[in-house]
Amino acid sequence: MNALAKETPNSVPSTSLLRVDGLQMHFPIYKGLLRKRVGTVRAVDGVSFDVRPGETLGLVGESGCGKSTTGRAILQLYRPTGGQVHFESTDLTQVKGDAGLFPYRRHMQMIFQDPYACLNPRMTVGDIIAEPIVTHALERDKRALQERVQALMARCGLNPQYVRRYPHEFSGGQRQRIGIARALATNPKFIVCDEPISALDVSIQAQIMNLLEDLQQELGLTYLFIAHDLAAVRHISDRIAVMYLGKIVELADYKAVYDDPQHPYTRALISAVPIPDPSVEDKRTRIVLEGDVPSPIKPPTGCRFHTRCPARRANPQIADRCVKEEPALKDRGDGHFVACHLYD
């Protein structure tokens, strides 16, 4: 365990570790042999938030709303179309090339959604976990490297004796633990957790969630936790950002989001979360959204949620404004940000 714990940070600064300003990630659409550009997918279209050291920011929304793309753009796996990504004091969007980004890769890691596709089937588990350590030249002695790998495996709930096994010899939950151990290998400050439990059995999900929380407390980690499971996000997050069609529509403390959701879309999401108490569940009013999510190729004008918004239909005085004017993400007090014309 000493090989893992020796680099644990002793203190956490009070300023934001990560600040995202107006992040955009647009993908061009080409057609035909001449690859004529016929449109643009606006996957992420002006997202801003900050993540404080040692906290977990949950990012939730429907499938296809841009959550995973946001995480990859933050880590510069996708080079953003626009906006800024400040990691500590550096704007990563201004850093040129993989060589320039290399020193920052060590401090920013990712846990992927599919615990099998993200592991090289031709490498042993030991080699997979050791690869980032070797790449960043963090340990040159082979014996010390092996001890460090085994310490990481043990900390993530894996038997160190399985160091020479291959990914296909492990279960889904064990493979995700391998992915977590690999992410921890460089002793990062910030980890993007891209739906790390969505592909796992329910019984295993709780174990992975508890492991992530224990690691955060022990190592002072900072998480961006991406998920569509609102119950899981509530369990692990300090603050929650709700995303819809490439935009953040609400951002607040996790308790405020669940106890007093302000945006109509957030209210609909919360109403869909089942409550295990039948007496409470029977008294709740389920908000069923009409229609489908618009295409990110041609998003609606004004508020992107106005085509499905029950509050717009119930408040005719703001209906025209919802169609024509895009609402800004404004602080309604106590750090509760909402993008909705209802509160203007």
Side-chain angles (χ1 to χ4, degrees):
M1 194 63 196
N2 293 333
L4 175 62
K6 63 182 178 182
E7 296 184 23
T8 303
N10 296 321
S11 60
V12 182
S14 58
T15 56
S16 295
L17 180 69
L18 178 80
R19 192 176 78 251
V20 179
D21 294 322
L23 183 66
Q24 295 181 339
M25 192 65 239
H26 298 170
F27 297 97
I29 303 173
Y30 298 102
K31 185 178 182 181
L33 293 175
L34 299 178
R35 292 183 58 79
K36 180 181 179 181
R37 186 167 178 170
V38 295
T40 301
V41 177
R42 299 175 177 270
V44 180
D45 205 16
V47 166
S48 299
F49 58 84
D50 71 315
V51 187
R52 301 157 190 163
E55 83 162 343
T56 300
L57 177 68
L59 186 61
V60 301
E62 293 172 284
S63 297
C65 72
K67 305 185 300 298
S68 295
T69 304
T70 298
R72 290 169 183 259
I74 288 172
L75 298 184
Q76 306 301 298
L77 299 179
Y78 297 150
R79 294 297 271 181
T81 307
Q84 298 176 325
V85 179
H86 292 273
F87 180 71
E88 294 183 322
S89 60
T90 303
D91 182 4
L92 299 180
T93 62
Q94 300 301 313
V95 179
K96 295 183 179 179
D98 290 335
L101 288 169
F102 183 78
Y104 302 97
R105 301 279 190 209
R106 173 189 172 185
H107 303 293
M108 306 175 71
Q109 292 291 317
M110 190 168 192
I111 300 170
F112 295 90
Q113 178 178 359
D114 191 331
Y116 188 73
C118 69
L119 302 177
N120 190 333
R122 301 187 178 208
M123 295 176 65
T124 65
V125 169
D127 290 339
I128 289 172
I129 299 174
E131 185 177 28
I133 302 174
V134 174
T135 300
H136 289 274
L138 301 179
E139 198 67 76
R140 299 184 184 276
D141 182 75
K142 289 186 177 181
R143 184 178 180 85
L145 175 63
Q146 184 179 11
E147 291 177 354
R148 182 165 179 166
V149 169
Q150 291 179 328
L152 283 162
M153 292 182 67
R155 183 62 191 87
C156 293
L158 296 166
N159 190 333
Q161 295 181 0
Y162 296 164
V163 69
R164 298 190 183 278
R165 292 191 178 186
Y166 290 85
H168 71 271
E169 300 180 77
F170 294 87
S171 66
Q174 289 174 321
R175 287 196 288 263
Q176 193 60 285
R177 292 175 186 270
I178 296 169
I180 294 172
R182 179 180 59 183
L184 293 175
T186 59
N187 192 36
K189 299 177 182 178
F190 175 69
I191 297 179
V192 174
C193 305
D194 185 14
E195 303 202 36
I197 61 171
S198 62
L200 305 178
D201 294 339
V202 176
S203 59
I204 306 299
Q205 289 181 1
Q207 297 177 19
I208 298 299
M209 295 278 285
N210 290 334
L211 173 61
L212 290 173
E213 286 188 313
D214 292 343
L215 291 170
Q216 184 177 43
Q217 293 177 6
E218 180 181 340
L219 305 176
L221 298 171
T222 303
Y223 294 144
L224 175 65
F225 191 88
I226 300 169
H228 57 262
D229 186 343
L230 292 173
V233 171
R234 180 179 186 178
H235 175 74
I236 198 172
S237 300
D238 299 297
R239 289 185 299 148
I240 296 175
V242 181
M243 199 167 181
Y244 181 82
L245 205 61
K247 296 277 189 180
I248 288 182
V249 297
E250 188 162 358
L251 172 62
D253 175 83
Y254 80 96
K255 187 173 179 61
V257 169
Y258 277 84
D259 294 347
D260 187 26
Q262 300 291 307
H263 197 278
Y265 177 63
T266 309
R267 293 174 184 167
L269 288 180
I270 298 300
S271 74
V273 179
I275 296 178
D277 186 344
S279 61
V280 177
E281 182 69 23
D282 292 341
K283 296 177 182 178
R284 289 203 310 161
T285 302
R286 174 73 189 277
I287 301 175
V288 180
L289 299 178
E290 298 179 1
D292 297 323
V293 180
S295 171
I297 300 175
K298 191 176 181 180
T301 59
C303 176
R304 298 193 173 185
F305 187 58
H306 82 258
T307 58
R308 307 171 70 196
C309 183
R312 172 177 167 263
R313 291 190 291 270
N315 296 271
Q317 69 273 16
I318 64 167
D320 290 340
R321 191 178 180 192
C322 293
V323 175
K324 298 177 182 178
E325 182 182 341
E326 181 179 326
L329 190 66
K330 296 181 179 179
D331 190 352
R332 297 202 61 229
D334 297 328
H336 196 144
F337 291 83
V338 184
C340 185
H341 291 308
L342 282 172
Y343 308 106
D344 289 349

